[in-house]
Amino acid sequence: MATDYYAVLGVRRDASQDEIKKAFRRLARELHPDVNPDPKTQERFKEINAAYEVLSDPQKKQVYDLGGDPLSANGGGAGGFGAGGFGNFSDIMDAFFGTASQRGPRSRTRRGQDAMIRLEIDLSEAAFGTTKDIQVDTAVVCNTCSGEGAAPGTSAQTCDMCRGRGEVSQVTRSFLGQVMTSRPCPQCQGFGTVVPTPCPECAGDGRIRSRRTLTVKIPAGVDNGTRIQLAGEGEVGPGGGPPGDLYVEIHELPHAVFQRRGDDLHCTVTIPMTAAALGTKCPLETLDGLEEIDIRPGTQSGQSVPLHGRGITHLRGGGRGDLIVHVEVTTPSKLDAEQERLLREFSKLRGEERPLGQFQPGQQGLFSRLKDAFNGR
């Protein structure tokens, strides 16, 4: 068989219907034209749709697994089962048990596909939630024919070949004798009705492409990759069928100051060596407004100051994460003569100043540590 539908969806041949459905939905979200308009991607999207149409239909899947062509008019492809020319599994059952299957006509109305769009929001919107208006290009019911597919003033008519049954029967001879088989009607493709005059607006599909504006409520605490489901806002199905769902995938834009780790925020403030030694208050613009960070005397570079409850709102459950302020202490790279004299006096007052090389481990003084910093040690 030319196309391996299982390989197209990336599933095993013994995959369950649930696994097939999950694989299709995952690929559809990645390859949907609303997400990726690249022509090659659109061809790939058509391939997974064709594969899912076969593998999600038990009868078509049986035909395919037995080597037939599930998309041909008679469902049997080359009729590769010998003299009887059996087209599908139900034909084999008819041959052995003498019962003709009564599948009935197929419905022109089918559920529409799900759709997905990407929405960019900033950190503050993710932290507290927001409401966004989005524009969506999807299939909607054709206003000209109201989804019927027939031109105004006309309607679908019962197929005169199958008389509305959607299938035709024929008698063939095999080694078992005469066998009656049923196949989809080639004139109406199994629908049981034909549309003599298709709607000029939708070409008989019952739907057209249209741009709509939707209002989406973004809950507080969403993160990159969070998907919000809007039931019934996806593509309208063929024949004006019920619409699928629309998924809005969140993409959080980088922030100039804060880095997000889960529901906690992290940032870095830089203070001079004297401020770290004496202590200070450092202003910081948080998501909640301007706040003063209390830097205690003796703060070392690399220490952090937590601000509890100043992070991202928890998506599930109450409360918020924390804001962690990391302190970076800078050492002056150049000193004038007066600054160096004052530092030497300060070092002597603390009893830290000794000739270089005479410090025991753990006893190196302030001024010598500065010298090491200046020399890159």
Side-chain angles (χ1 to χ4, degrees), residues 273 277 331 343-344 346-347 350-353 359 363-373:
M273 176 189 68
T331 301
L343 278 178
R344 288 184 182 278
F346 175 72
S347 181
R350 291 179 54 85
E352 295 176 339
E353 181 60 25
F359 286 96
Q363 292 182 334
Q364 193 172 12
L366 173 64
F367 186 73
S368 298
R369 289 199 298 272
L370 291 175
K371 285 285 188 180
D372 287 346

Side-chain angles (χ1 to χ4, degrees), residues 284-291:
L284 177 65
E285 188 68 39
T286 71
L287 296 182
D288 298 273
L290 185 63
E291 296 196 24

Side-chain angles (χ1 to χ4, degrees), residues 35-47:
V35 178
N36 194 333
D38 181 62
K40 294 183 179 179
T41 302
Q42 294 183 23
E43 289 300 318
R44 171 74 171 138
F45 185 71
K46 292 178 182 178
E47 291 179 2

Side-chain angles (χ1 to χ4, degrees), residues 259-266 311-312 320-324:
Q259 296 83 45
R260 179 174 178 176
R261 301 175 192 171
D263 287 342
D264 292 335
L265 297 177
H266 294 256
I312 303 296
R320 295 171 58 183
D322 299 330
L323 170 59
I324 311 299

Side-chain angles (χ1 to χ4, degrees), residues 122-186:
D122 60 36
L123 182 63
S124 179
E125 292 171 330
F128 303 117
T130 186
T131 299
K132 290 279 191 178
D133 288 336
I134 60 174
Q135 289 188 330
V136 185
D137 291 320
T138 57
V140 298
V141 175
C142 175
N143 293 325
T144 302
C145 66
S146 300
E148 296 295 329
T154 67
S155 62
Q157 298 178 3
T158 301
C159 176
D160 56 10
M161 178 176 286
C162 66
R163 298 181 181 179
R165 294 176 62 242
E167 58 186 15
V168 293
S169 301
Q170 69 181 60
V171 177
T172 58
R173 290 184 176 275
S174 73
F175 64 93
L176 296 171
Q178 289 186 341
V179 177
M180 178 176 288
T181 58
S182 297
R183 294 180 173 85
C185 174

Side-chain angles (χ1 to χ4, degrees), residues 83-330:
F86 304 129
N88 53 37
F89 185 75
S90 62
D91 291 342
I92 298 175
M93 298 300 292
D94 292 345
F96 282 95
F97 299 101
T99 59
S101 62
Q102 299 294 328
R103 290 181 294 270
R106 294 192 296 134
S107 174
R108 292 184 180 275
T109 302
R110 300 194 301 274
R111 182 184 184 274
Q113 296 179 348
D114 295 338
M116 187 181 72
I117 64 171
R118 197 180 191 192
L119 178 62
E120 293 183 341
I121 62 174
D122 60 36
L123 182 63
S124 179
E125 292 171 330
F128 303 117
T130 186
T131 299
K132 290 279 191 178
D133 288 336
I134 60 174
Q135 289 188 330
V136 185
D137 291 320
T138 57
V140 298
V141 175
C142 175
N143 293 325
T144 302
C145 66
S146 300
E148 296 295 329
T154 67
S155 62
Q157 298 178 3
T158 301
C159 176
D160 56 10
M161 178 176 286
C162 66
R163 298 181 181 179
R165 294 176 62 242
E167 58 186 15
V168 293
S169 301
Q170 69 181 60
V171 177
T172 58
R173 290 184 176 275
S174 73
F175 64 93
L176 296 171
Q178 289 186 341
V179 177
M180 178 176 288
T181 58
S182 297
R183 294 180 173 85
C185 174
Q187 179 167 294
C188 66
Q189 286 76 50
F191 292 117
T193 59
V194 293
V195 181
T197 309
C199 172
E201 182 71 20
C202 65
D205 191 41
R207 55 184 183 167
I208 58 174
R209 304 293 298 185
S210 178
R211 174 167 293 186
R212 298 176 293 147
T213 300
L214 300 175
T215 300
V216 184
K217 183 178 181 181
I218 310 299
V222 294
D223 201 350
N224 269 326
T226 299
R227 287 178 179 170
I228 301 170
Q229 181 182 10
L230 302 179
E233 297 293 352
E235 302 245 339
V236 167
D245 298 335
L246 174 66
Y247 292 87
V248 179
E249 184 174 85
I250 299 300
H251 175 68
E252 184 181 295
L253 297 173
H255 194 272
V257 176
F258 303 114
Q259 296 83 45
R260 179 174 178 176
R261 301 175 192 171
D263 287 342
D264 292 335
L265 297 177
H266 294 256
C267 71
T268 300
V269 296
T270 303
I271 61 174
M273 176 189 68
T274 52
L278 301 174
T280 187
K281 291 187 180 294
C282 179
L284 177 65
E285 188 68 39
T286 71
L287 296 182
D288 298 273
L290 185 63
E291 296 196 24
E292 286 191 338
I293 311 301
D294 186 16
I295 306 297
R296 296 184 177 181
T299 296
Q300 303 297 307
S301 188
Q303 288 185 336
S304 59
V305 179
L307 297 181
H308 300 293
R310 294 294 187 271
I312 303 296
T313 303
H314 299 312
L315 183 60
R316 296 176 180 85
R320 295 171 58 183
D322 299 330
L323 170 59
I324 311 299
V325 181
H326 300 272
V327 180
E328 183 180 274
V329 179
T330 59

Side-chain angles (χ1 to χ4, degrees), residues 17 53-63 65:
Q17 283 296 318
E53 180 183 351
V54 172
L55 299 184
S56 63
D57 186 314
Q59 289 184 342
K60 291 182 181 179
K61 185 174 183 294
Q62 286 179 345
V63 174
D65 289 341

